[in-house]
Amino acid sequence: MVGPTRPQFVLFGSSIVQLSFSHGGWGAILSDIYARKADILLRGYFGWNSRRALQVLDQVFPKDAAIQPSLVIAYFGGNDSMGPHPSGLGPHVPLPEYIESMRKIVIHLQSLSEETRIILLSCPPVNEEKIRGNISQFLSELVRTNELCQRYSDACVKLGQEMGVKVVDLFTALQKRDDWMDACFTDGIHLSAEGSKIVVEEIIKVIKEADWEPCLHWKSMPTEFAEDSPYDLVAADGKTTLNPSEWTFYREHHWD
């Protein structure tokens, strides 16, 4: 492991997590926001459901690890919410089982350390028309509807409230934008750059408003090696230097 040791933020989930560094994704944006402040670690698994996540939970988050994450952002539900296949195969998980699986995931994460914080992301909506048009010779028909997505999203939000865990309601957040069906997805399911910006806004809002000690908001966290140096860029006066450690002007979007 390289040093110095920074707080670790772990993104744990299915394809919306695995792809969060693609297409201007929300994981990449968080890595930029928290540059020199926290390490954003990706543990995303395309196609996975909460049942499969439970199988590897101890391996991804061992309780005896020397360093435990400061924050875990967990997302499962989209694949769980898919309609069941007649064969019994596939990612569908019945809603009651999904709720209990997520409960077990939260309990495990809470046991890692007293300072490990958790944010759950609920199931986002989908563009049903676009999904129906994405015909593949390799896959059976994908049964993904917003009716199902909302059931699993609502269940995730309710579980978070019951367990005192922060939740980002993606089903509601994405639909606040009038053109969400076209703007927020690459294929009707996975997030575009515009969709990811909404996810980041909601995550940053939760972190900023949370009563956590220490505070995990990016503006409150120390910047690594931020001391002034004679090796910094020389200022216009030709006598002093400018410390660029906290510069953010290069960002396309200025986050609160």
Side-chain angles (χ1 to χ4, degrees):
M1 181 176 176
V2 298
T5 301
R6 298 174 181 172
Q8 294 182 354
F9 292 6
V10 182
L11 316 183
F12 179 49
S14 55
S15 55
I16 282 182
V17 173
Q18 181 174 328
L19 300 179
S20 68
F21 279 72
S22 301
H23 308 294
W26 58 277
I29 296 173
L30 286 175
S31 288
D32 178 47
I33 293 173
Y34 282 91
R36 297 172 64 173
K37 296 174 180 288
D39 286 333
I40 310 298
L41 305 181
L42 188 64
R43 293 296 183 270
Y45 305 94
F46 208 116
W48 280 34
N49 57 21
S50 60
R51 186 183 292 166
R52 200 165 180 187
L54 277 179
Q55 295 174 350
V56 302
L57 196 57
D58 289 314
Q59 297 175 63
V60 177
F61 298 102
K63 293 186 178 182
D64 60 353
I67 299 175
Q68 294 294 357
S70 297
L71 175 65
V72 179
I73 301 176
Y75 166 74
F76 292 98
N79 295 313
D80 301 66
S81 72
M82 289 177 61
H85 193 271
S87 67
L89 300 172
H92 170 73
V93 173
L95 185 58
E97 181 185 345
Y98 165 74
I99 294 170
E100 290 311 305
S101 294
M102 294 304 296
R103 188 187 308 276
K104 291 174 182 176
I105 289 171
V106 169
I107 290 172
H108 181 90
L109 296 176
Q110 288 174 327
S111 73
L112 297 178
S113 81
E114 291 185 357
E115 292 190 348
T116 296
R117 310 304 181 189
I118 304 164
I119 299 176
L120 299 179
L121 305 182
S122 80
C123 184
V126 295
N127 184 329
E128 295 182 29
E129 183 178 357
K130 194 161 189 176
I131 293 172
R132 287 193 293 268
N134 294 339
I135 299 173
S136 170
Q137 61 178 319
F138 303 106
L139 294 172
S140 297
E141 180 185 3
L142 298 179
V143 180
R144 301 194 76 151
T145 69
N146 283 316
E147 180 182 357
L148 290 171
C149 290
Q150 185 169 16
R151 289 182 196 169
Y152 283 70
S153 176
D154 289 347
C156 180
V157 171
K158 183 178 179 182
L159 179 66
Q161 293 170 344
E162 290 176 359
M163 301 189 74
V165 170
K166 304 296 184 183
V167 183
V168 171
D169 181 354
L170 289 184
F171 190 85
T172 300
L174 265 63
Q175 293 186 76
K176 290 179 181 178
R177 180 166 173 161
D178 292 339
D179 60 348
W180 66 271
M181 282 195 289
D182 296 318
C184 292
F185 306 105
T186 59
D187 56 3
I189 298 172
H190 300 105
L191 297 171
S192 65
E194 292 302 309
S196 281
K197 288 177 184 176
I198 295 173
V199 176
V200 173
E201 287 174 355
E202 295 297 320
I203 289 173
I204 295 298
K205 180 181 177 182
V206 167
I207 293 174
K208 185 176 182 179
E209 295 177 355
D211 185 21
W212 291 340
E213 286 292 338
C215 179
L216 299 181
H217 188 259
W218 67 278
K219 291 183 179 179
S220 298
M221 298 179 71
T223 299
E224 189 174 276
F225 299 136
E227 62 275 4
D228 293 336
S229 169
Y231 305 120
D232 285 335
L233 299 171
V234 180
D237 62 12
K239 300 177 182 179
T240 57
T241 57
L242 297 175
N243 187 335
S245 299
E246 306 290 348
W247 287 359
T248 60
F249 68 85
Y250 60 87
R251 290 177 180 158
E252 177 185 359
H253 184 97
H254 293 279
W255 305 96
D256 187 14

